Amino acid sequence: MAHEIHITKTGSPDVLQLREVSRSKPAPGETWIAQESIGVNYLDVMQRSGAVPIPLPGGIGLEAAGRVLEVGPDVTNVKEGDRVAYALGPLGAYASERAYPANRLIALPESLSFDDAAAITFKGITAQYLLKTTYPVGPGKVLLIYGAAGALCQFMIPWAKHLNAYVIGVVSKQSSVETARQRGCDNVLVWGECDLPSEVKALTGGEMADVVYDGIGKDTFDASLSCLRTRGTMVSIGASSGAPHSVEVGTLNSRGSLFLTRPSIAAHATDINEYQARAAEVYAAAEAGILAADIWKTYSLTQVSDAHQSLESRKAMGPIVLRPE
């Protein structure tokens, strides 16, 4: 029997329940996958807690890697035995085996292990669109990035430095400063221990940041706007402290004709061709040594509650993966 994590209500990590599932024949356009490694993302936590609504009851999880066990009718892009990975829905990645749409499977290079693929695919695609599409990062651009010691920034910061940007990282505690520096930050600031706009002004000779990537939300939003130069771009990528307050259009004008966006991976990777192209660039960057998985911790599927607690408590200093029993 296969196993999956099932959720019937939102709440604490205790709502994540393991149950047995029977293998089914793939429907037309589907595959049945034996999953070797499963990625854990902060979006999973938000969905489990109810901050981001999902259909209930049902599965949870958006990223995994494994082998194709069986293909359904009309499937031509993969075959039995292929090594594959995926990101995005349908929900249900927290499972030892599952059905999944064949056209959303990504061929996995032999150079990438299942664990590395599960750690890098979702967050790597996120980093790719944030740096290449949301704001085209290039030489000399000044980036201010919150959560510089977290899992997403493990990919964003080295990639931004590869693009010859200047990166100012923001962390929540002194113990995270060295991790952020090792990832390539040119400077690291500790939230709550300085006046952030003043420090950014000093570090940039008064020029301020071209773009701010803010995953904290309510507590940091105003300071983030104040760190931007004229016509700078504010990228709200999360809300771990709560949703930011509403912004008057006039505020963007008065602070220097600022741009404000709240991007999502779904808007950048739902189209199959776009999704495959972004994934290919992520895997190429990994093969070139620009990105590295550097998994922080591996849990068994039965320990999924512990994995979520590590993310919520901000103990995690890198990607987390689950392995089926």
Side-chain angles (χ1 to χ4, degrees):
M1 296 290 288
H3 293 85
E4 69 174 7
I5 298 298
H6 190 71
I7 177 171
T8 60
K9 61 181 180 179
T10 57
S12 70
D14 293 338
V15 303
L16 300 166
Q17 299 296 314
L18 185 73
R19 72 174 190 177
E20 289 187 342
V21 292
S22 299
R23 184 182 297 180
S24 60
K25 297 290 290 185
E30 278 190 344
T31 58
W32 189 266
I33 306 170
Q35 304 200 139
E36 300 286 344
S37 191
I38 302 155
V40 180
N41 296 285
Y42 199 80
L43 180 55
D44 305 346
V45 172
M46 296 175 71
Q47 291 174 337
R48 186 218 74 224
S49 70
V52 174
I54 58 173
L56 296 176
I60 191 169
L62 292 162
E63 173 184 34
R67 295 186 185 274
V68 176
L69 288 183
E70 188 175 356
V71 300
D74 305 322
V75 172
T76 59
N77 63 309
V78 294
K79 63 184 185 302
E80 292 179 16
D82 281 356
R83 302 173 74 250
V84 294
Y86 64 85
L88 288 186
L91 290 166
Y94 289 11
S96 60
E97 298 182 13
R98 71 170 301 193
Y100 193 81
N103 65 351
R104 292 201 61 83
L105 292 174
I106 306 163
L108 193 58
E110 289 296 332
S111 59
L112 277 182
S113 69
F114 291 121
D115 281 351
D116 286 352
I120 204 172
T121 303
F122 187 100
K123 287 176 278 291
I125 290 174
T126 301
Q128 194 274 347
Y129 79 71
L130 289 173
L131 297 173
K132 301 294 186 75
T133 303
T134 304
Y135 184 89
V137 171
K141 296 297 183 181
V142 178
L143 282 59
L144 181 70
I145 306 179
Y146 289 83
L152 175 59
C153 284
Q154 181 171 309
F155 307 114
M156 280 192 73
I157 293 168
W159 210 338
K161 292 306 301 176
H162 178 74
L163 296 169
N164 296 311
Y166 180 87
V167 179
I168 303 171
V170 183
V171 296
S172 61
K173 52 192 176 184
Q174 278 288 343
S175 59
S176 298
V177 170
E178 184 56 31
T179 297
R181 290 191 184 280
Q182 290 175 356
R183 290 179 177 175
C185 287
D186 295 282
N187 287 280
V188 183
L189 304 175
V190 181
W191 175 256
E193 295 188 7
C194 66
D195 180 76
L196 201 67
S198 296
E199 290 294 325
V200 172
K201 184 176 182 179
L203 291 171
T204 61
E207 294 296 319
M208 309 305 285
D210 292 285
V211 57
V212 174
Y213 297 98
D214 186 339
I216 309 303
K218 182 179 179 180
D219 291 351
T220 56
F221 192 84
D222 285 338
S224 295
L225 288 181
S226 297
C227 289
L228 287 165
R229 65 176 58 188
T230 298
R231 300 194 304 276
T233 299
M234 171 69 177
V235 185
S236 177
I237 57 174
S240 62
S241 69
H245 59 74
S246 299
V247 180
E248 295 285 345
V249 173
T251 299
L252 302 178
N253 175 272
S254 66
R255 299 214 186 180
S257 296
L258 303 180
F259 295 89
L260 169 63
T261 183
R262 178 65 170 92
S264 71
I265 189 171
H268 292 80
T270 296
D271 177 84
I272 295 298
N273 292 330
E274 191 173 18
Y275 165 70
Q276 292 285 354
R278 292 189 193 281
E281 188 169 351
V282 169
Y283 291 168
E287 289 185 295
I290 300 167
L291 309 180
D294 289 337
I295 294 166
W296 177 73
K297 195 166 184 179
T298 300
Y299 293 89
S300 71
L301 192 59
T302 58
Q303 297 172 310
V304 62
S305 295
D306 295 334
H308 273 228
Q309 287 170 353
S310 293
L311 273 181
E312 286 186 283
S313 65
R314 299 186 183 180
K315 291 180 181 178
M317 301 293 283
I320 292 173
V321 297
L322 304 173
R323 285 193 188 138
E325 290 290 308

